[in-house]
Amino acid sequence: MPDGIGGAERRRVTLDEVARDAGVSRSTVSLVLRDSPLVAEGTRERVRASMEALGYVYNRGAANLRASRTNTVGLLVCDVSNPFFAELTAGIDEVLDGAGVSTFLVNTNESPEKQERSLQRMREQNVDGVILCPASGSSPDLVERLRRWGMPLVQALRYVSARDGDYAGSDYQLGMEMITEHLIRLGHRRIALVGGNLVHSALSDRRTGFTNAMRRHGLAPDLIVRSPLNRRASAEAVGALLDRADPPTAAIGFNDIVAFGMMLGLTDRGLEAGCDFAVAGFDDVPEAALSRPALTTVSTLPFQIGQEAAQLLLRRIVDPNGSPERVILPTRLIIRESCGAAPRRERGLTRG
Amino acid sequence: MPDGIGGAERRRVTLDEVARDAGVSRSTVSLVLRDSPLVAEGTRERVRASMEALGYVYNRGAANLRASRTNTVGLLVCDVSNPFFAELTAGIDEVLDGAGVSTFLVNTNESPEKQERSLQRMREQNVDGVILCPASGSSPDLVERLRRWGMPLVQALRYVSARDGDYAGSDYQLGMEMITEHLIRLGHRRIALVGGNLVHSALSDRRTGFTNAMRRHGLAPDLIVRSPLNRRASAEAVGALLDRADPPTAAIGFNDIVAFGMMLGLTDRGLEAGCDFAVAGFDDVPEAALSRPALTTVSTLPFQIGQEAAQLLLRRIVDPNGSPERVILPTRLIIRESCGAAPRRERGLTRG
DNA sequence: GAGCAGTTTTGGATCGATCCAATATTTCCA
DNA sequence: TGGAAATATTGGATCGATCCAAAACTGCTC
């Protein structure tokens, strides 16, 4: 029995065999593989034909061992099933795949330990670089350690230290200032900021923006509610706010999901966002335009952040000692109905 | 200048150096690395100490070249930013990461061409196996081709051929039968199935389930609407249904997103789901319990499907010639308010 | 047809681990 | 105490590519 049941155990065709078949040397075949301009047109065709005929499959593992680059990178996100990270992932995939780079994905679940293990593993895999959304509670020397490893690193969406290393994200602080200013302009004086129970830059940047805008108008930024980023908790949070002795008249969600949850909480009390209470979101997910009332929010473009992060990493891999870049995409205020500013949409489907 | 600016270009410490430092052979160090029971306790500790002292980093690339397994797998999903695929991805990551396997992620965007290129690349990377959600329009001989490559393959959520190869998914057909039966039991006679404009098994299975249930009760399954899987299109679709000469009294969405869109379409016409028209969803996303009215739907557990798919792939890698398995998770009918069956929820937050 | 520049091609060393058959060491019992 | 069995350790070959310096070809000019 030459082959075992099933016969799947085919031996791999190597460069040497292709070379023999084409009547050239292994080195020449290698050059053809890498599209080197050194090899003559006729030879190239002959080699290509042999590869085809023998069913040659390139062995990246073997190449990686010798070559300096592996054309692989690591991507560590905190929670893929959060649509925001998922969009980011899609943007990254688009750019990296286009550049012929394969991506190792890890879902850290906000666990610094899993993040640590995964980074170590990425290093063992010899990836050319890493894109990291640091888990809440990441050690602050993380960037420095990766630098010592000689491992190109781009942080995305969040950063461990505001002054260190490459980063791609949105201007959360400015975005939050804009939406807060918008509410103040509409006459609100008691405004709450709801959502977020972990510690990371994306949260503190928003808090800073909120606090800055409030203080600028002599208002107290005292209604900051720490709560999980889901609908139910947010609905409960808005209820607690309304039960206060000094209830707010408006609330900004950490993100759109929180805002939707708050609208739900209002509905359950017989109140309506945009009429009885102003609700604002953050991120502008597709659903924001389609909620009733449509959500006033701030767009943050996670897909584009992903693209930027990937491009930045590719640059850093080529030029490891270039000076760090911080790509901050602008945010945009999207005024719809939930803060009561825009005219009520008439019945029927209009563009949100 | 011994080190260049930045000094990141550290040479790698190899097994040989560790061996020299520990006063043993390279082979012994290799055995320690792989936790072989062959090596004596004292030796093991001495080697470990040397690895620590020299800052040794395992080189998986080198190991992969020689060893038969690479402990990497490929994961090809159609659309990571679809929460359903994202949950699947999270489930897969959990199991594979736990097994010490790294995952290459590719987002195929429903493009058979990108899928093809990516599979080829996975093959070149020498992955131990692949988990694939086949893109709509995948060639039917895909499974056979991977088999010829000797590449373990598990299809997830969708399959190219109903009779071929390993697969993990939900029982879409039965789920759809259950929800259709539910509506019929409530007295509905004209029922529509809305959403889905691509061709793949997850869609055709649902159609089959719907058709079967309708026929079983002598009803015509003629209201099958092909439309994109987003809210806006679904809202428009329900409008078109209501404008018909023979409008339905109930509609089932391909998934919950479609159902939410239909509820939106009803709202915009001044109608309410659960009172004036029955709306059912499919998947039971977290939001389903929190919509108003709460959505009656079918749970399909994508995270668990991911776990099952990953476990199945690991089994298949160990035993490539084992007979194919099809892991079909049961679906469950979740009755809430949107079909008018359950008593209306009183005001206030109750468990959905 | 020698010399030279430019273009192609080549063989051997190398990357850093695993595999394997052989050898060295220890243990244990007759 | 001799020797078989069990336990530890080892060196050389190997995986399949890339790198590099040298060699072999061109074509051209004088």
Side-chain angles (χ1 to χ4, degrees):
Chain A
M1 252 42 71
D3 225 338
I5 302 167
E9 213 50 63
R10 241 181 225 33
R11 207 183 44 72
R12 201 159 190 142
V13 176
T14 74
L15 268 196
D16 266 311
E17 300 172 61
V18 174
R20 204 166 315 129
D21 186 87
V24 296
S25 77
R26 181 172 24 85
S27 305
T28 303
V29 180
S30 176
L31 291 172
V32 171
L33 270 178
R34 284 171 289 156
D35 284 319
S36 162
L38 266 61
V39 29
E41 201 45 53
T43 314
R44 184 188 310 276
E45 274 163 29
R46 206 143 33 86
V47 170
R48 289 248 166 82
S50 290
M51 297 206 284
E52 179 73 23
L54 299 180
Y56 172 75
V57 176
Y58 185 57
N59 186 333
R60 289 184 133 69
N64 289 346
L65 184 54
R66 193 64 172 83
S68 54
R69 281 189 56 175
T70 61
N71 288 304
T72 58
V73 312
L75 167 60
L76 288 75
V77 299
C78 304
D79 179 13
V80 237
S81 52
N82 176 329
F84 200 75
F85 290 109
E87 284 280 345
L88 178 91
T89 303
I92 289 170
D93 174 86
E94 200 206 56
V95 170
L96 293 184
D97 183 81
V101 170
S102 300
T103 306
F104 284 112
L105 176 81
V106 176
N107 194 32
T108 62
N109 279 317
E110 299 281 9
S111 154
E113 292 73 34
K114 182 167 178 188
Q115 176 174 290
E116 204 56 48
R117 272 189 293 112
S118 304
L119 284 171
Q120 183 62 38
R121 176 172 263 273
M122 294 298 113
R123 192 186 183 196
E124 297 177 356
Q125 294 279 12
N126 243 326
V127 297
D128 295 331
V130 164
I131 298 178
L132 172 70
C133 309
S136 169
S138 294
S139 136
D141 66 353
L142 205 133
V143 178
E144 169 55 18
R145 195 162 73 258
L146 279 264
R147 211 194 58 73
R148 275 204 307 273
W149 289 0
M151 171 80 76
L153 165 73
V154 171
Q155 294 176 87
L157 299 184
R158 303 175 181 178
Y159 46 85
V160 160
S161 141
R163 295 280 162 264
D164 244 14
D166 294 295
Y167 170 72
S170 278
D171 196 336
Y172 295 127
Q173 181 178 327
L174 185 58
M176 190 50 86
E177 289 189 29
M178 290 192 305
I179 189 100
T180 309
E181 292 273 2
H182 174 66
L183 287 168
I184 295 172
R185 215 175 305 127
L186 292 174
H188 295 280
R189 290 287 163 267
R190 293 286 291 156
I191 305 174
L193 176 60
V194 176
N197 50 356
L198 300 171
V199 179
H200 51 76
S201 65
L203 177 55
S204 56
D205 282 1
R206 283 174 226 218
R207 292 230 174 113
T208 305
F210 175 70
T211 306
N212 285 357
M214 291 294 275
R215 293 246 170 81
R216 196 177 302 139
H217 292 83
L219 304 173
D222 58 326
L223 291 175
I224 295 186
V225 179
R226 299 169 55 84
S227 62
L229 298 176
N230 61 55
R231 287 170 205 250
R232 187 179 305 276
S234 309
E236 281 159 10
V238 82
L241 282 170
L242 292 170
D243 288 339
R244 290 175 62 106
D246 54 348
T249 60
I252 305 169
F254 172 88
N255 63 24
D256 288 346
I257 304 298
V258 171
F260 294 139
M262 292 198 289
M263 298 211 300
L264 177 67
L266 293 174
T267 305
D268 284 343
R269 287 185 165 227
L271 301 175
E272 197 181 348
C275 300
D276 313 300
F277 190 89
V279 172
F282 209 95
D283 282 351
D284 194 31
V285 299
E287 194 185 339
L290 298 168
S291 70
R292 295 295 174 256
L295 187 66
T296 289
T297 185
V298 174
S299 71
T300 52
L301 311 173
F303 189 89
Q304 282 85 332
I305 296 176
Q307 294 177 308
E308 292 289 346
Q311 281 155 5
L312 178 47
L313 181 61
L314 292 176
R315 286 200 293 278
R316 184 59 61 242
I317 289 169
V318 171
D319 175 20
N321 295 318
S323 54
E325 295 180 42
R326 296 182 87 78
V327 179
I328 314 286
L329 296 191
T331 49
R332 207 155 61 84
L333 182 60
I334 312 283
I335 299 177
R336 297 205 180 90
E337 303 164 347
S338 64
C339 296
R344 290 303 310 258
R345 175 185 34 81
E346 59 275 35
R347 294 284 177 201
L349 276 173
T350 55
R351 302 201 56 79
Chain B
M1 254 40 72
D3 226 340
I5 302 168
E9 212 49 62
R10 243 180 222 34
R11 208 183 45 71
R12 201 158 188 141
V13 176
T14 74
L15 267 197
D16 266 310
E17 301 173 58
V18 174
R20 204 167 314 129
D21 186 89
V24 296
S25 78
R26 182 171 23 84
S27 304
T28 302
V29 180
S30 176
L31 291 173
V32 171
L33 270 179
R34 286 172 289 157
D35 284 321
S36 163
L38 266 60
V39 27
E41 201 44 54
T43 314
R44 184 188 310 278
E45 274 163 28
R46 205 144 31 86
V47 170
R48 288 249 166 81
S50 290
M51 296 206 286
E52 179 73 23
L54 299 180
Y56 172 75
V57 176
Y58 186 56
N59 186 334
R60 279 176 201 277
N64 290 345
L65 184 54
R66 192 64 173 83
S68 55
R69 281 189 57 174
T70 60
N71 288 303
T72 58
V73 313
L75 168 59
L76 287 76
V77 299
C78 303
D79 178 14
V80 237
S81 51
N82 176 329
F84 200 76
F85 290 109
E87 283 280 345
L88 178 91
T89 303
I92 289 170
D93 174 86
E94 200 207 56
V95 170
L96 292 184
D97 182 82
V101 171
S102 301
T103 306
F104 284 113
L105 176 80
V106 176
N107 194 32
T108 62
N109 279 316
E110 298 281 9
S111 154
E113 293 73 33
K114 182 167 178 187
Q115 176 173 288
E116 204 56 48
R117 273 189 292 112
S118 304
L119 284 171
Q120 183 61 37
R121 177 172 263 274
M122 294 298 113
R123 192 186 183 197
E124 297 177 356
Q125 295 279 11
N126 242 324
V127 297
D128 294 332
V130 164
I131 297 179
L132 172 69
C133 309
S136 169
S138 295
S139 138
D141 66 352
L142 203 132
V143 177
E144 170 55 19
R145 195 161 72 258
L146 280 263
R147 210 195 57 74
R148 276 203 307 273
W149 289 0
M151 170 80 76
L153 165 73
V154 171
Q155 295 176 85
L157 300 184
R158 303 175 180 177
Y159 46 86
V160 161
S161 142
R163 295 280 162 266
D164 244 13
D166 294 296
Y167 170 73
S170 278
D171 196 337
Y172 295 128
Q173 182 178 327
L174 186 57
M176 190 51 85
E177 289 189 29
M178 291 193 304
I179 188 101
T180 309
E181 292 273 0
H182 174 66
L183 287 168
I184 295 171
R185 214 176 306 125
L186 292 174
H188 294 279
R189 289 289 164 265
R190 294 284 291 159
I191 304 174
L193 176 60
V194 176
N197 50 356
L198 300 172
V199 179
H200 53 75
S201 65
L203 177 56
S204 57
D205 281 3
R206 284 176 224 216
R207 291 230 175 113
T208 305
F210 175 70
T211 306
N212 285 358
M214 291 294 276
R215 292 246 170 81
R216 195 178 302 137
H217 292 84
L219 303 173
D222 58 326
L223 291 175
I224 296 186
V225 179
R226 299 169 56 84
S227 62
L229 298 175
N230 61 55
R231 288 171 204 249
R232 188 179 305 275
S234 308
E236 280 159 10
V238 82
L241 282 170
L242 292 170
D243 289 338
R244 288 177 63 106
D246 53 348
T249 60
I252 305 169
F254 172 89
N255 62 24
D256 288 347
I257 304 298
V258 171
F260 293 140
M262 293 198 290
M263 298 210 299
L264 176 67
L266 292 173
T267 306
D268 284 344
R269 288 188 164 226
L271 301 175
E272 197 181 350
C275 299
D276 312 301
F277 191 89
V279 172
F282 208 96
D283 283 351
D284 194 31
V285 300
E287 193 185 338
L290 297 169
S291 71
R292 294 296 174 258
L295 187 67
T296 289
T297 185
V298 174
S299 71
T300 52
L301 311 173
F303 189 88
Q304 282 86 330
I305 295 176
Q307 294 178 309
E308 292 290 346
Q311 280 155 5
L312 178 48
L313 182 61
L314 292 176
R315 286 200 293 278
R316 184 59 62 241
I317 289 169
V318 171
D319 174 20
N321 295 318
S323 54
E325 295 180 44
R326 298 184 84 80
V327 179
I328 314 286
L329 297 190
T331 49
R332 207 155 60 84
L333 183 61
I334 312 284
I335 298 176
R336 297 206 180 90
E337 304 164 348
S338 63
C339 297
R344 292 304 310 258
R345 175 186 33 82
E346 59 275 36
R347 294 285 177 199
L349 275 173
T350 56
R351 302 203 53 80

